[in-house]
Amino acid sequence: MDPERERSGGHPKKGRKRRRAPNMLVGAAEAMRARRDLEERQPEAKKARLSTILFAENCEVTHDQLCELLKYAVLGKSSVPKPSWCQLFHQNHLNSVVVFVLQGMSQLHFYRFYLEFGFLRKAFRHKFRLPPPSSNFLADIIGLQKKQTTGDLSKMVEGSLPSASSKVSVNLQNDPVIQKYGSKKVGLTRCLLTKEEMKTFHFPLQGFPDCENFVPTKCNGSVTDSSPLFGLDCEMCLTSKGRELTRISLVAEGGCCVMDELVKPDNKILDYLTSFSGITKKILNPVTTKLKDVQRHLKALLPPDAVLVGHSLDLDLRALKMIHPYVIDTSLLYVREQGRRFKLKFLAKAVLGKDIQCPDRLGHDATEDARTTLELARYFLKYGPRKIAELNLEALASHQELLATGQELRNTAEIVYQPKTSVLECLDLMGQKLLFLTREAETSELCSARNCQTIKCLSNKEVLEQARVEIPLFPFSIVQFSFEPFSPNLTEEMNKRMRLKWTEMSTVYAGPFSKNCNLRALKRLFKSFGPVRSMTLVLETHQVQRPVTELTLDSNTLVNELEQDSENRGTIYLSGVSETFKEHLLQQSNLFLGLEAVILPKDLKSGKQKRYCFLKFKTFGSAQRALNILKGKDWKLKGRHALTPRHLHAWLRGLPPESRRPPGVRVIPPPSEQQALQALKMDHPKIAAWRWGRKIGKLYHSLGPGTLCLILLPGTKSTHGSFSGLGLMGIKDEEESTTPNMCA
């Protein structure tokens, strides 16, 4: 940023729909790459990451707990309590949040079609069970209150701003904002600078002598009150020819940065102006992007009726050497007496209640400044000139001692988090909007909620196509696909078959044994491998194997895939552990590098530690080395790589006795499921699992680094019964911790 002007902060948005640029996907992707390149040049860049262990014993996460995580992902630890069930480290390094909802599916669907859900089971390391859904699943996880009124949010926001005194109310008509715009709310076009104003404030204009080599943006469309807004901020350095561009940031109206480029000046750099720009010689050395590249990119990115918003925007456009006809300059929008201008940092704090350009950070953040100017413009449009006048900005600015200590502003302008605040309100406090993509047939409170951009589509395919274009433009997105649920009878039938399948997979035939063998010693031998639920003597068997039925034909494939499940890949199962095992393990922790967690299940009735455990490691290699050591002569434990994730283990542990049957009995698949699977309808969950698992996988790979992604199968509920849901989550390009996390 230029030292002649200081910038800052952000806040709520006018609830009106605006058309967005159709070609922004390319710009957003390039912006993400540019931001990544910039971060890579910074020393020891941190990445957001999730904990590897969920702390609930049964791995069930309630809808309220899920809402905790989503709110924390938006606001961070300074404003919101940390989630009670998991850990999100370096939240401020999250770039966006994307939630995929597979409406009509449950945990039962996931494990019934486990082989078909190839991408989901391999990509997401963290899985958890969800309780059966309520009548409005989305409203629950977002935290919408049933009796929420449209005025609640504005009251909360207004309460966070400095209150006006009675004296201010009397002199309201003398305020320069009221004198220029009147007291009623105005539209976007009224806030645009006129050509005369642009001339007065030295904006680059076509045909002017000092703008002969400037490039026009080619934005000559008809501007309306629904035209798209873009926040712009540039950083400059001092060269032998004057000030030249070193960085440009462009933020779309959803709050997402769609362009963030470092630029190599054409002339010799005399001063990097690092205290303002944050740019150093080391950062700029490898950059090859030139001014002409940025000009070409910006021209392609902006739609014909784009409105640029900035603070002292004339300096930005001159640094870009570009001409743009439609601008809102927040240093002029928030009019001050005697032609003076408020600093961006001051406006951000006094109007939006947020701190920017913090002194402990090297230089200004161009993306933060661009987003702040956009939020200030939206605030002006949303609340109108009268509200701005009531803030009494002139009086606040005149008290320099308040600005020096910041104490009174902290008491009056800081956002106070309320426990029942929804995710939507958290986004509004950050000056951001939620994107909700769904099918037209679906109804949800989200569709009519404030601060939510809802796009309804005719089909799941159209939802997917819209998601590819819209997700990069928003910091928080919910994408809902809808599938036809099984009939209650068929669902119950599948549930019984799944229980039988897992029971048979946990059954082995072993022999031959003599009629006089010691059953007690035999059972003791088998128990050394893990808990034995029951044992039946079958004298005819001559080898060790699983029973072969229609339900277990794919057992070997399923076991192999379970081993490759991302949640199991670094986890080993051990049997025969003693009560002192954990203490012994910690004493020799130098043998087990990469150990993240020790999971010691307890008996639900007695509370005593069971004789088996799970060890979770950072990598598969670390787990394999530990397994070799623990099975060796010094430890003498039995073990293998884990097969059942914790949430599945909890589900199978509750298997009712009546679902088991004597081994060796042949099972014929119920005709109704056979017929349903043979029909192979395009929306049948078996086909949907395969097709949509792959499609979501491709969409996931297109997301930018640092994206928190959740896949939610909400579960099903009917008069015939309820079935639990399933959640999967991860952060794109997540950096795993090397610090062990021990949980008993």
PDB file of all heavy atoms in Angstrom, residues 435-458:
ATOM      1  N   LEU A 435     -22.835 -19.295   0.364  1.00  0.00           N
ATOM      2  CA  LEU A 435     -23.396 -19.808  -0.885  1.00  0.00           C
ATOM      3  C   LEU A 435     -24.124 -21.110  -0.592  1.00  0.00           C
ATOM      4  O   LEU A 435     -23.565 -22.015   0.036  1.00  0.00           O
ATOM      5  CB  LEU A 435     -22.282 -20.059  -1.904  1.00  0.00           C
ATOM      6  CG  LEU A 435     -22.693 -20.827  -3.178  1.00  0.00           C
ATOM      7  CD1 LEU A 435     -23.637 -19.995  -4.030  1.00  0.00           C
ATOM      8  CD2 LEU A 435     -21.461 -21.243  -3.982  1.00  0.00           C
ATOM      9  N   PHE A 436     -25.372 -21.222  -1.047  1.00  0.00           N
ATOM     10  CA  PHE A 436     -26.162 -22.444  -0.867  1.00  0.00           C
ATOM     11  C   PHE A 436     -26.671 -22.906  -2.226  1.00  0.00           C
ATOM     12  O   PHE A 436     -27.443 -22.228  -2.882  1.00  0.00           O
ATOM     13  CB  PHE A 436     -27.338 -22.183   0.084  1.00  0.00           C
ATOM     14  CG  PHE A 436     -28.216 -23.380   0.316  1.00  0.00           C
ATOM     15  CD1 PHE A 436     -27.670 -24.651   0.459  1.00  0.00           C
ATOM     16  CD2 PHE A 436     -29.600 -23.245   0.394  1.00  0.00           C
ATOM     17  CE1 PHE A 436     -28.474 -25.762   0.680  1.00  0.00           C
ATOM     18  CE2 PHE A 436     -30.414 -24.336   0.612  1.00  0.00           C
ATOM     19  CZ  PHE A 436     -29.849 -25.601   0.764  1.00  0.00           C
ATOM     20  N   LEU A 437     -26.182 -24.071  -2.653  1.00  0.00           N
ATOM     21  CA  LEU A 437     -26.602 -24.670  -3.923  1.00  0.00           C
ATOM     22  C   LEU A 437     -27.459 -25.888  -3.624  1.00  0.00           C
ATOM     23  O   LEU A 437     -27.042 -26.783  -2.872  1.00  0.00           O
ATOM     24  CB  LEU A 437     -25.375 -25.098  -4.737  1.00  0.00           C
ATOM     25  CG  LEU A 437     -24.554 -23.990  -5.387  1.00  0.00           C
ATOM     26  CD1 LEU A 437     -23.217 -24.526  -5.867  1.00  0.00           C
ATOM     27  CD2 LEU A 437     -25.308 -23.372  -6.549  1.00  0.00           C
ATOM     28  N   THR A 438     -28.644 -25.967  -4.218  1.00  0.00           N
ATOM     29  CA  THR A 438     -29.545 -27.080  -3.945  1.00  0.00           C
ATOM     30  C   THR A 438     -30.502 -27.274  -5.116  1.00  0.00           C
ATOM     31  O   THR A 438     -30.494 -26.481  -6.068  1.00  0.00           O
ATOM     32  CB  THR A 438     -30.339 -26.836  -2.645  1.00  0.00           C
ATOM     33  OG1 THR A 438     -31.098 -27.999  -2.320  1.00  0.00           O
ATOM     34  CG2 THR A 438     -31.275 -25.634  -2.782  1.00  0.00           C
ATOM     35  N   ARG A 439     -31.299 -28.304  -5.047  1.00  0.00           N
ATOM     36  CA  ARG A 439     -32.302 -28.543  -6.088  1.00  0.00           C
ATOM     37  C   ARG A 439     -33.581 -27.781  -5.764  1.00  0.00           C
ATOM     38  O   ARG A 439     -33.892 -27.517  -4.603  1.00  0.00           O
ATOM     39  CB  ARG A 439     -32.581 -30.042  -6.214  1.00  0.00           C
ATOM     40  CG  ARG A 439     -31.425 -30.796  -6.850  1.00  0.00           C
ATOM     41  CD  ARG A 439     -31.585 -32.304  -6.800  1.00  0.00           C
ATOM     42  NE  ARG A 439     -32.769 -32.759  -7.518  1.00  0.00           N
ATOM     43  CZ  ARG A 439     -33.009 -34.044  -7.797  1.00  0.00           C
ATOM     44  NH1 ARG A 439     -32.142 -34.976  -7.423  1.00  0.00           N
ATOM     45  NH2 ARG A 439     -34.098 -34.392  -8.441  1.00  0.00           N
ATOM     46  N   GLU A 440     -34.334 -27.458  -6.803  1.00  0.00           N
ATOM     47  CA  GLU A 440     -35.538 -26.642  -6.625  1.00  0.00           C
ATOM     48  C   GLU A 440     -36.563 -27.317  -5.724  1.00  0.00           C
ATOM     49  O   GLU A 440     -37.310 -26.666  -5.014  1.00  0.00           O
ATOM     50  CB  GLU A 440     -36.164 -26.333  -7.988  1.00  0.00           C
ATOM     51  CG  GLU A 440     -35.438 -25.223  -8.741  1.00  0.00           C
ATOM     52  CD  GLU A 440     -36.216 -24.763  -9.961  1.00  0.00           C
ATOM     53  OE1 GLU A 440     -37.222 -25.420 -10.289  1.00  0.00           O
ATOM     54  OE2 GLU A 440     -35.817 -23.771 -10.569  1.00  0.00           O
ATOM     55  N   ALA A 441     -36.616 -28.656  -5.767  1.00  0.00           N
ATOM     56  CA  ALA A 441     -37.631 -29.371  -5.000  1.00  0.00           C
ATOM     57  C   ALA A 441     -37.366 -29.323  -3.502  1.00  0.00           C
ATOM     58  O   ALA A 441     -38.268 -29.555  -2.692  1.00  0.00           O
ATOM     59  CB  ALA A 441     -37.699 -30.830  -5.466  1.00  0.00           C
ATOM     60  N   GLU A 442     -36.116 -29.006  -3.099  1.00  0.00           N
ATOM     61  CA  GLU A 442     -35.760 -29.007  -1.683  1.00  0.00           C
ATOM     62  C   GLU A 442     -36.185 -27.704  -1.007  1.00  0.00           C
ATOM     63  O   GLU A 442     -36.078 -26.623  -1.594  1.00  0.00           O
ATOM     64  CB  GLU A 442     -34.250 -29.204  -1.512  1.00  0.00           C
ATOM     65  CG  GLU A 442     -33.747 -30.548  -1.990  1.00  0.00           C
ATOM     66  CD  GLU A 442     -34.311 -31.698  -1.195  1.00  0.00           C
ATOM     67  OE1 GLU A 442     -34.493 -31.546   0.033  1.00  0.00           O
ATOM     68  OE2 GLU A 442     -34.598 -32.747  -1.796  1.00  0.00           O
ATOM     69  N   THR A 443     -36.669 -27.831   0.220  1.00  0.00           N
ATOM     70  CA  THR A 443     -37.036 -26.651   1.008  1.00  0.00           C
ATOM     71  C   THR A 443     -36.171 -26.598   2.256  1.00  0.00           C
ATOM     72  O   THR A 443     -35.894 -27.617   2.880  1.00  0.00           O
ATOM     73  CB  THR A 443     -38.519 -26.704   1.423  1.00  0.00           C
ATOM     74  OG1 THR A 443     -38.747 -27.902   2.167  1.00  0.00           O
ATOM     75  CG2 THR A 443     -39.418 -26.680   0.194  1.00  0.00           C
ATOM     76  N   SER A 444     -35.731 -25.411   2.597  1.00  0.00           N
ATOM     77  CA  SER A 444     -34.902 -25.225   3.787  1.00  0.00           C
ATOM     78  C   SER A 444     -34.999 -23.777   4.228  1.00  0.00           C
ATOM     79  O   SER A 444     -35.208 -22.866   3.409  1.00  0.00           O
ATOM     80  CB  SER A 444     -33.442 -25.587   3.483  1.00  0.00           C
ATOM     81  OG  SER A 444     -32.602 -25.203   4.555  1.00  0.00           O
ATOM     82  N   GLU A 445     -34.857 -23.558   5.543  1.00  0.00           N
ATOM     83  CA  GLU A 445     -34.849 -22.191   6.060  1.00  0.00           C
ATOM     84  C   GLU A 445     -33.693 -21.385   5.486  1.00  0.00           C
ATOM     85  O   GLU A 445     -33.740 -20.160   5.432  1.00  0.00           O
ATOM     86  CB  GLU A 445     -34.746 -22.216   7.592  1.00  0.00           C
ATOM     87  CG  GLU A 445     -35.986 -22.759   8.289  1.00  0.00           C
ATOM     88  CD  GLU A 445     -35.834 -22.756   9.806  1.00  0.00           C
ATOM     89  OE1 GLU A 445     -35.117 -21.881  10.322  1.00  0.00           O
ATOM     90  OE2 GLU A 445     -36.419 -23.628  10.455  1.00  0.00           O
ATOM     91  N   LEU A 446     -32.650 -22.075   5.056  1.00  0.00           N
ATOM     92  CA  LEU A 446     -31.501 -21.386   4.483  1.00  0.00           C
ATOM     93  C   LEU A 446     -31.880 -20.586   3.248  1.00  0.00           C
ATOM     94  O   LEU A 446     -31.305 -19.536   2.970  1.00  0.00           O
ATOM     95  CB  LEU A 446     -30.420 -22.407   4.101  1.00  0.00           C
ATOM     96  CG  LEU A 446     -29.245 -22.611   5.056  1.00  0.00           C
ATOM     97  CD1 LEU A 446     -28.252 -23.584   4.465  1.00  0.00           C
ATOM     98  CD2 LEU A 446     -28.574 -21.293   5.371  1.00  0.00           C
ATOM     99  N   CYS A 447     -32.840 -21.122   2.467  1.00  0.00           N
ATOM    100  CA  CYS A 447     -33.201 -20.481   1.194  1.00  0.00           C
ATOM    101  C   CYS A 447     -33.675 -19.053   1.396  1.00  0.00           C
ATOM    102  O   CYS A 447     -33.442 -18.189   0.544  1.00  0.00           O
ATOM    103  CB  CYS A 447     -34.284 -21.298   0.480  1.00  0.00           C
ATOM    104  SG  CYS A 447     -33.737 -22.958   0.027  1.00  0.00           S
ATOM    105  N   SER A 448     -34.335 -18.792   2.518  1.00  0.00           N
ATOM    106  CA  SER A 448     -34.871 -17.448   2.764  1.00  0.00           C
ATOM    107  C   SER A 448     -34.060 -16.684   3.810  1.00  0.00           C
ATOM    108  O   SER A 448     -34.447 -15.597   4.220  1.00  0.00           O
ATOM    109  CB  SER A 448     -36.327 -17.546   3.225  1.00  0.00           C
ATOM    110  OG  SER A 448     -36.429 -18.364   4.386  1.00  0.00           O
ATOM    111  N   ALA A 449     -32.950 -17.262   4.249  1.00  0.00           N
ATOM    112  CA  ALA A 449     -32.158 -16.624   5.300  1.00  0.00           C
ATOM    113  C   ALA A 449     -31.399 -15.417   4.766  1.00  0.00           C
ATOM    114  O   ALA A 449     -31.018 -15.366   3.595  1.00  0.00           O
ATOM    115  CB  ALA A 449     -31.178 -17.632   5.899  1.00  0.00           C
ATOM    116  N   ARG A 450     -31.171 -14.465   5.637  1.00  0.00           N
ATOM    117  CA  ARG A 450     -30.385 -13.296   5.274  1.00  0.00           C
ATOM    118  C   ARG A 450     -28.932 -13.702   5.107  1.00  0.00           C
ATOM    119  O   ARG A 450     -28.455 -14.653   5.698  1.00  0.00           O
ATOM    120  CB  ARG A 450     -30.493 -12.234   6.372  1.00  0.00           C
ATOM    121  CG  ARG A 450     -31.913 -11.785   6.648  1.00  0.00           C
ATOM    122  CD  ARG A 450     -31.968 -10.772   7.784  1.00  0.00           C
ATOM    123  NE  ARG A 450     -31.424  -9.481   7.360  1.00  0.00           N
ATOM    124  CZ  ARG A 450     -30.266  -9.010   7.771  1.00  0.00           C
ATOM    125  NH1 ARG A 450     -29.516  -9.718   8.574  1.00  0.00           N
ATOM    126  NH2 ARG A 450     -29.837  -7.836   7.350  1.00  0.00           N
ATOM    127  N   ASN A 451     -28.229 -12.960   4.293  1.00  0.00           N
ATOM    128  CA  ASN A 451     -26.803 -13.171   4.074  1.00  0.00           C
ATOM    129  C   ASN A 451     -26.493 -14.527   3.453  1.00  0.00           C
ATOM    130  O   ASN A 451     -25.428 -15.081   3.657  1.00  0.00           O
ATOM    131  CB  ASN A 451     -26.028 -13.032   5.391  1.00  0.00           C
ATOM    132  CG  ASN A 451     -24.574 -12.672   5.148  1.00  0.00           C
ATOM    133  OD1 ASN A 451     -24.281 -11.867   4.288  1.00  0.00           O
ATOM    134  ND2 ASN A 451     -23.675 -13.275   5.894  1.00  0.00           N
ATOM    135  N   CYS A 452     -27.467 -15.067   2.716  1.00  0.00           N
ATOM    136  CA  CYS A 452     -27.266 -16.357   2.047  1.00  0.00           C
ATOM    137  C   CYS A 452     -27.605 -16.216   0.570  1.00  0.00           C
ATOM    138  O   CYS A 452     -28.710 -15.792   0.217  1.00  0.00           O
ATOM    139  CB  CYS A 452     -28.133 -17.439   2.684  1.00  0.00           C
ATOM    140  SG  CYS A 452     -27.999 -19.039   1.860  1.00  0.00           S
ATOM    141  N   GLN A 453     -26.649 -16.531  -0.287  1.00  0.00           N
ATOM    142  CA  GLN A 453     -26.868 -16.513  -1.739  1.00  0.00           C
ATOM    143  C   GLN A 453     -27.328 -17.912  -2.148  1.00  0.00           C
ATOM    144  O   GLN A 453     -26.544 -18.847  -2.198  1.00  0.00           O
ATOM    145  CB  GLN A 453     -25.574 -16.157  -2.467  1.00  0.00           C
ATOM    146  CG  GLN A 453     -25.678 -16.149  -3.986  1.00  0.00           C
ATOM    147  CD  GLN A 453     -26.428 -14.935  -4.506  1.00  0.00           C
ATOM    148  OE1 GLN A 453     -26.235 -13.834  -4.004  1.00  0.00           O
ATOM    149  NE2 GLN A 453     -27.270 -15.138  -5.484  1.00  0.00           N
ATOM    150  N   THR A 454     -28.625 -18.067  -2.399  1.00  0.00           N
ATOM    151  CA  THR A 454     -29.194 -19.373  -2.746  1.00  0.00           C
ATOM    152  C   THR A 454     -29.336 -19.501  -4.259  1.00  0.00           C
ATOM    153  O   THR A 454     -29.865 -18.613  -4.921  1.00  0.00           O
ATOM    154  CB  THR A 454     -30.570 -19.560  -2.082  1.00  0.00           C
ATOM    155  OG1 THR A 454     -30.420 -19.467  -0.663  1.00  0.00           O
ATOM    156  CG2 THR A 454     -31.167 -20.920  -2.440  1.00  0.00           C
ATOM    157  N   ILE A 455     -28.844 -20.612  -4.789  1.00  0.00           N
ATOM    158  CA  ILE A 455     -29.005 -20.920  -6.212  1.00  0.00           C
ATOM    159  C   ILE A 455     -29.698 -22.270  -6.309  1.00  0.00           C
ATOM    160  O   ILE A 455     -29.155 -23.289  -5.862  1.00  0.00           O
ATOM    161  CB  ILE A 455     -27.652 -20.963  -6.947  1.00  0.00           C
ATOM    162  CG1 ILE A 455     -26.949 -19.601  -6.842  1.00  0.00           C
ATOM    163  CG2 ILE A 455     -27.834 -21.358  -8.407  1.00  0.00           C
ATOM    164  CD1 ILE A 455     -25.578 -19.563  -7.494  1.00  0.00           C
ATOM    165  N   LYS A 456     -30.894 -22.285  -6.875  1.00  0.00           N
ATOM    166  CA  LYS A 456     -31.665 -23.521  -7.006  1.00  0.00           C
ATOM    167  C   LYS A 456     -31.521 -24.074  -8.417  1.00  0.00           C
ATOM    168  O   LYS A 456     -31.578 -23.330  -9.393  1.00  0.00           O
ATOM    169  CB  LYS A 456     -33.133 -23.291  -6.661  1.00  0.00           C
ATOM    170  CG  LYS A 456     -33.367 -23.031  -5.183  1.00  0.00           C
ATOM    171  CD  LYS A 456     -34.824 -23.224  -4.805  1.00  0.00           C
ATOM    172  CE  LYS A 456     -35.015 -23.228  -3.301  1.00  0.00           C
ATOM    173  NZ  LYS A 456     -36.388 -23.573  -2.897  1.00  0.00           N
ATOM    174  N   CYS A 457     -31.357 -25.386  -8.499  1.00  0.00           N
ATOM    175  CA  CYS A 457     -31.099 -26.047  -9.774  1.00  0.00           C
ATOM    176  C   CYS A 457     -32.137 -27.134 -10.020  1.00  0.00           C
ATOM    177  O   CYS A 457     -32.813 -27.599  -9.099  1.00  0.00           O
ATOM    178  CB  CYS A 457     -29.697 -26.657  -9.777  1.00  0.00           C
ATOM    179  SG  CYS A 457     -28.383 -25.475  -9.364  1.00  0.00           S
ATOM    180  N   LEU A 458     -32.248 -27.550 -11.271  1.00  0.00           N
ATOM    181  CA  LEU A 458     -33.245 -28.548 -11.641  1.00  0.00           C
ATOM    182  C   LEU A 458     -32.797 -29.967 -11.331  1.00  0.00           C
ATOM    183  O   LEU A 458     -33.629 -30.860 -11.185  1.00  0.00           O
ATOM    184  CB  LEU A 458     -33.567 -28.429 -13.143  1.00  0.00           C
ATOM    185  CG  LEU A 458     -34.223 -27.112 -13.586  1.00  0.00           C
ATOM    186  CD1 LEU A 458     -34.371 -27.085 -15.102  1.00  0.00           C
ATOM    187  CD2 LEU A 458     -35.588 -26.944 -12.918  1.00  0.00           C
TER     188      LEU A 458
END
